[in-house]
Amino acid sequence: MGARALWALLAALRAGWCLLPQSGYLHPDEFFQAPEVMAGDILNLQVFYPWEFLSSFPCRTVVFPLMTSGVTYWAIKSLQQLDICSSCINSYTLLVSPRLLFTIFSFILDYSVYRLAPFWEADLWKALVLLAGSYVTLVFYTRTFTNTLEGLLFALLMVLVSSRKSNGSSVDPTSSPLIGVITTAGFFNRPTFLAFALMPLLYWAGLIVDSQRSIKSVINHFLKLILCACFTAIVFITADTFYFTSVSLDNLLSINKGSLFDVIVQLHKKMVVTPFNFLSYNLNPHNLALHGSHPRVTHFTVNGIMLFGILHVLATVAGFKMLKKYVQQFIRVKSCYHGLPGLLVHSEGNPTLLLFYFVPLAFLSLFSHQEPRFLIPLILPLVLFSASQDRAVKWKHLIVIFNLLGAFLFGCLHQGGLIPCLFHLEQLIHSPAPSNHPSHYTLLFAHTYMPPRFLLNIKKTDVHVQVIDMAGSGEETLCQTIEQQASNFTCSDCHIFVIIPGTVRATTAKCGVSFKNETVIFPHLSMEDPPQMSILSSGNWRSQLGLYILQLDRDQHSL
């Protein structure tokens, strides 16, 4: 199969797998940093607002959630209100519609490779196949992560700093304002974007200085960038201030009969700058420890390999070879009392792409909390580097096997029963009640990732559904909660469900209650409660890879 046909097939797989949809649940942030919040605000559904979106100390801008999940939910809400689609709002559309938008956006990566491959002397179609075939693209870039947006903005920034004018010179005069806009937008999306933007900005600044004949032209480029960056920051700050505070236009204009000075003072007092709150929180080691502390080399030795496999190893080996060569040249030049011009020219491979890859990785490694998804923006410089000089060709079989396993593990297995479970419960909750009185449902989740409430499609005014998230509670706490719910099990239309992985299913047998119905959703892999290898190798292995929905028996007797 030709490289073009293979890329087209992989692109179709990306879109089709999004629509299926993917059942794997990567991390709570894919739901709780956009869809969950927007479903509550726009569709008036019962949701759980994460701490980053609390008005007391907001750490996330609302602009990107509004522009992504917010737009898709507004669209399906409008379709339902116009009677174009009477049942547009359901668990499937709530999950898939924002994911589909992100999947469409993910092709910005492909466009970026198309633009950048000739510039960085990489094989275009090999780079596109490496990108489209990576499980990072298939899984992570089709999910509603802020890291996904960070990667797309990083890709656009690389395109802008690598652009050429029609006459062949290296600087596009229109890029300065756009670079300012994208850099600022990336900073408000995730302040860590500055780590990714550093090398592209330095590269662009070097091109500006080298290509401009007068200091006036250089200053003009930097002024355009700074002014557009400031304007973009004002837009984000204004939007966040209006969203997170009680400020309204009418309230502002009513201050001292609309005095402009008083309006400015009032805005300044209530001004919300979410990146500063984000940095203030994350620069505190105690706060980071609450989310998990890792060795500083985790990104380099574990996460890079987990995401990119042999490509990360090849880049590391090439990086060490180049570093060794530069040190040798530096010593040789210094011993001869010569300067350093041309030091980076005579080197095998492209050192700039390696800097685009390793400099952000090094900065992110300064923080003790290190998750694999933080590195997904680095896929672009990595595939461009790997597609040059046929570095990845001889490893193609290993690359295919690695990405098949990664796609299956993270796209299907990892916490893979929770989303289908919520689909099942949504249908159960919204099924017609046998009596005139609505049924009451208590849903108790234990040892699963945080369940996104919006997928249950319950209105805020509906008080007949209660969600209890026990997270990773111990056996004693879990049993006490189940027994407490059982003791309050009095009404005839009450239903209590316990959702728990098969690896800890035996715990419920010690809780002194019985269950009348048992539904198993397969597959479901919990890395926090991993399956026992002895049971996996036996005939009962499916029980370890399932998510159980247990319905409490109302007519039970104490066990």
Side-chain angles (χ1 to χ4, degrees):
M1 181 182 294
R4 296 189 184 198
L6 182 55
W7 173 82
L9 181 64
L10 291 169
L13 174 63
R14 194 189 315 174
W17 201 11
C18 167
L19 295 171
L20 271 180
Q22 292 183 23
S23 60
Y25 183 165
L26 299 176
H27 190 278
D29 283 356
E30 69 174 289
F31 297 110
F32 291 92
Q33 288 183 358
E36 180 92 355
V37 176
M38 290 298 103
D41 291 347
I42 294 175
L43 301 177
N44 200 36
L45 298 181
Q46 285 187 27
V47 297
F48 176 82
Y49 285 93
W51 64 270
E52 297 103 320
F53 284 90
L54 298 180
S55 57
S56 57
F57 194 73
C59 294
R60 300 282 180 189
T61 181
V62 75
V63 174
F64 282 111
L66 283 171
M67 291 172 60
T68 53
S69 299
V71 167
T72 59
Y73 290 159
W74 176 83
I76 61 176
K77 179 181 180 180
S78 300
L79 289 174
Q80 183 157 303
Q81 289 177 337
L82 294 171
D83 289 330
I84 297 175
C85 176
S86 59
S87 58
C88 277
I89 302 176
N90 53 63
S91 56
Y92 176 81
T93 57
L94 289 171
L95 175 72
V96 171
S97 57
R99 280 189 180 181
L100 182 59
L101 184 62
F102 272 70
T103 301
I104 294 170
F105 285 164
S106 73
F107 285 94
I108 292 174
L109 288 177
D110 303 74
Y111 169 77
S112 300
V113 168
Y114 177 79
R115 287 284 304 274
L116 293 171
F119 185 90
W120 294 106
E121 300 177 350
D123 185 290
L124 172 59
W125 289 104
K126 288 178 182 176
L128 281 171
V129 169
L130 278 176
L131 174 73
S134 170
Y135 86 87
V136 172
T137 305
L138 290 169
V139 178
F140 283 86
Y141 273 94
T142 59
R143 303 297 182 92
T144 50
F145 283 116
T146 56
N147 309 92
T148 303
L149 293 173
E150 188 173 44
L152 300 177
L153 292 170
F154 179 51
L156 290 175
L157 188 60
M158 283 190 63
V159 170
L160 290 175
V161 303
S162 306
S163 60
R164 291 182 182 273
K165 294 192 292 185
S166 58
N167 62 8
S169 60
S170 299
V171 178
D172 187 342
T174 62
S175 65
S176 302
L178 291 175
I179 289 172
V181 171
I182 288 176
T183 302
T184 307
F187 177 66
F188 273 82
N189 175 59
R190 288 184 66 86
T192 54
F193 184 75
L194 293 183
F196 296 96
L198 176 62
M199 284 310 302
L201 289 177
L202 290 177
Y203 179 80
W204 172 82
L207 292 179
I208 288 286
V209 173
D210 290 342
S211 63
Q212 302 301 316
R213 296 182 178 179
S214 67
I215 189 66
K216 182 178 179 181
S217 298
V218 173
I219 293 174
N220 184 47
H221 275 289
F222 283 99
L223 279 178
K224 287 180 181 178
L225 185 148
I226 293 170
L227 288 174
C228 288
C230 291
F231 175 77
T232 306
I234 290 171
V235 171
F236 275 86
I237 291 171
T238 302
D240 290 337
T241 300
F242 276 88
Y243 179 82
F244 288 111
T245 69
S246 57
V247 174
S248 68
L249 188 60
D250 291 338
N251 290 339
L252 289 175
L253 294 178
S254 66
I255 300 172
N256 287 345
K257 298 182 179 180
S259 166
L260 179 60
F261 176 77
D262 290 332
V263 168
I264 294 173
V265 170
Q266 181 71 2
L267 271 176
H268 181 265
K269 288 181 178 179
K270 294 180 174 288
M271 186 169 60
V272 174
V273 187
T274 53
F276 291 167
N277 292 343
F278 179 96
L279 290 172
S280 174
Y281 180 89
N282 284 280
L283 290 176
N284 186 331
H286 175 71
N287 291 335
L288 286 183
L290 297 176
H291 302 274
S293 294
H294 309 92
R296 294 296 197 275
V297 295
T298 301
H299 278 325
F300 184 77
T301 58
V302 179
N303 294 340
I305 296 175
M306 186 186 299
L307 289 175
F308 308 121
I310 191 65
L311 299 186
H312 175 76
V313 176
L314 293 175
T316 302
V317 172
F320 277 119
K321 286 182 178 179
M322 289 184 185
L323 184 61
K324 180 181 178 182
K325 194 168 186 177
Y326 293 162
V327 170
Q328 290 174 345
Q329 290 182 10
F330 176 79
I331 295 173
R332 190 181 307 119
V333 170
K334 187 175 180 181
S335 65
C336 297
Y337 298 97
H338 292 304
L340 296 179
L343 185 61
L344 297 181
V345 176
H346 308 291
S347 113
E348 191 178 323
N350 198 318
T352 307
L353 283 176
L354 284 178
L355 289 174
F356 281 15
Y357 181 75
F358 283 112
V359 169
L361 192 152
F363 273 101
L364 293 175
S365 297
L366 297 176
F367 298 92
S368 61
H369 182 59
Q370 301 185 15
E371 297 181 27
R373 62 191 172 93
F374 296 168
L375 301 183
I376 66 172
L378 298 177
I379 190 172
L380 181 58
L382 185 60
V383 298
L384 289 171
F385 180 80
S386 302
S388 61
Q389 302 182 7
D390 290 334
R391 286 185 178 86
V393 171
K394 65 179 180 179
W395 301 97
K396 61 183 179 182
H397 298 296
L398 180 60
I399 292 171
V400 170
I401 294 171
F402 171 79
N403 285 300
L404 284 174
L405 291 175
F408 179 64
L409 174 61
F410 293 105
C412 300
L413 276 181
H414 189 258
Q415 293 283 327
L418 191 55
I419 301 305
C421 165
L422 292 167
F423 279 25
H424 172 77
L425 292 172
E426 188 247 0
Q427 292 180 348
L428 185 66
I429 291 169
H430 292 281
S431 59
S435 62
N436 293 329
H437 300 286
S439 300
H440 185 279
Y441 293 88
T442 299
L443 311 176
L444 193 152
F445 294 83
H447 292 263
T448 68
Y449 276 5
M450 193 186 310
R453 275 76 158 172
F454 77 101
L455 291 180
L456 294 171
N457 192 22
I458 308 164
K459 293 293 184 182
K460 289 180 179 178
T461 54
D462 189 345
V463 296
H464 297 97
V465 179
Q466 179 187 16
V467 176
I468 302 174
D469 183 13
M470 298 294 294
S473 298
E475 180 181 310
E476 183 179 351
T477 303
L478 176 61
C479 284
Q480 285 179 354
T481 306
I482 293 176
E483 290 168 2
Q484 181 182 6
Q485 293 298 320
S487 65
N488 297 330
F489 204 173
T490 55
C491 67
S492 59
D493 291 326
C494 291
H495 306 277
I496 299 176
F497 293 90
V498 177
I499 298 92
I500 194 166
T503 50
V504 288
R505 164 70 174 86
T507 301
T508 58
K510 305 174 184 178
C511 295
V513 296
S514 61
F515 301 95
K516 64 178 181 180
N517 288 323
E518 180 178 288
T519 303
V520 183
I521 297 178
F522 178 88
H524 179 91
L525 175 64
S526 173
M527 300 304 293
E528 288 72 24
D529 299 285
Q532 301 175 28
M533 295 305 297
S534 58
I535 300 180
L536 281 179
S537 58
S538 67
N540 196 30
W541 61 274
R542 285 180 66 94
S543 66
Q544 293 283 293
L545 294 175
L547 184 67
Y548 284 73
I549 305 174
L550 309 173
Q551 184 175 6
L552 206 63
D553 188 357
R554 182 172 180 273
D555 299 322
Q556 63 185 298
H557 299 285
S558 181
L559 297 179

